[in-house]
Amino acid sequence: MVCLGNICRSPLAEGIMKEKMKRLVLPCFIDSAGTGGWHAGKLPDQWSIDVAGKHGINLSSQRARQIQMEDLDTFDLIFTMDQSVHKDVLSIAENKDQEEKIYLFLDYAGSSNAPIVPDPYWGQTKEFEATYRLIDQACDQIIARLKKEFL
Ligand code: 4NP
């Protein structure tokens, strides 16, 4: 799960997807990163921690990190939160195998809206709650697709 700073959107996507996979007993390794490294080593944004906590998901063990080229080999699927992040992740890919793993998160989920998870960075409870709901729904759609394609 990749966003810009790895403190707002992708930590939520990581936490939500991990929780769903755990409940379904599906053995997947899920992680998140940012295209930027400014927040490396830091906890997720407090608003993300709070909104996730309200839904029973604890993000406090997460620490921000910058995506590395090796991630494109380590992971089978790379989900980007918006077009700008998508372009930046594609730009570090070194071969077709890596490029073909990179999907816009909402595109992969089959969302009928614009495939952008809006950045709630400047927002408060309302924006973070909306981000949570959007990511939560997309995770359900992605799990349904993964089950169909891989199980
Ligand atoms: P994120 O949000 O990409 O969802 O983690 C942002 C986090 C930090 C910044 C921008 C967006 N920033 O400019 O530091």
Side-chain angles (χ1 to χ4, degrees):
M1 305 293 190
V2 189
C3 63
L4 178 63
N6 192 209
I7 56 168
C8 300
R9 293 166 291 175
S10 58
L12 280 172
E14 177 188 336
I16 292 169
M17 191 60 106
K18 275 183 173 161
E19 183 65 24
K20 289 181 187 295
M21 291 291 189
K22 194 171 92 185
R23 281 195 204 147
L24 291 164
V25 204
L26 291 173
C28 285
F29 180 68
I30 299 153
D31 197 7
S32 65
T35 50
W38 321 284
H39 300 281
K42 297 211 187 110
L43 278 164
D45 187 281
Q46 192 59 47
W47 293 100
S48 281
I49 292 178
D50 289 349
V51 75
K54 220 180 91 192
H55 293 271
I57 295 173
N58 186 351
L59 303 186
S60 66
S61 64
Q62 291 191 30
R63 296 293 180 273
R65 71 179 184 90
Q66 188 170 24
I67 190 168
Q68 305 295 314
M69 204 272 284
E70 302 81 69
D71 288 318
L72 306 183
D73 290 324
T74 303
F75 292 89
D76 298 314
L77 293 165
I78 317 279
F79 293 129
T80 57
M81 294 293 138
D82 64 37
Q83 263 107 352
S84 160
V85 168
H86 193 75
K87 202 171 115 251
D88 288 345
V89 177
L90 273 177
S91 76
I92 63 166
E94 289 196 320
N95 57 56
K96 210 161 171 50
D97 274 356
Q98 293 179 340
E99 275 172 22
E100 285 175 352
K101 297 174 173 183
I102 305 166
Y103 296 89
L104 273 159
F105 177 69
L106 292 184
D107 255 354
Y108 196 86
S111 166
S112 52
N113 299 318
I116 296 162
V117 180
D119 196 340
Y121 184 59
W122 300 106
Q124 299 189 356
T125 306
K126 188 165 143 261
E127 287 76 17
F128 278 82
E129 185 62 42
T131 303
Y132 182 96
R133 286 180 196 285
L134 184 63
I135 292 174
D136 184 65
Q137 189 184 40
C139 283
D140 284 338
Q141 291 166 319
I142 287 173
I143 288 170
R145 176 168 173 180
L146 292 175
K147 275 182 170 171
K148 229 189 261 172
E149 289 183 15
F150 295 101
L151 294 184

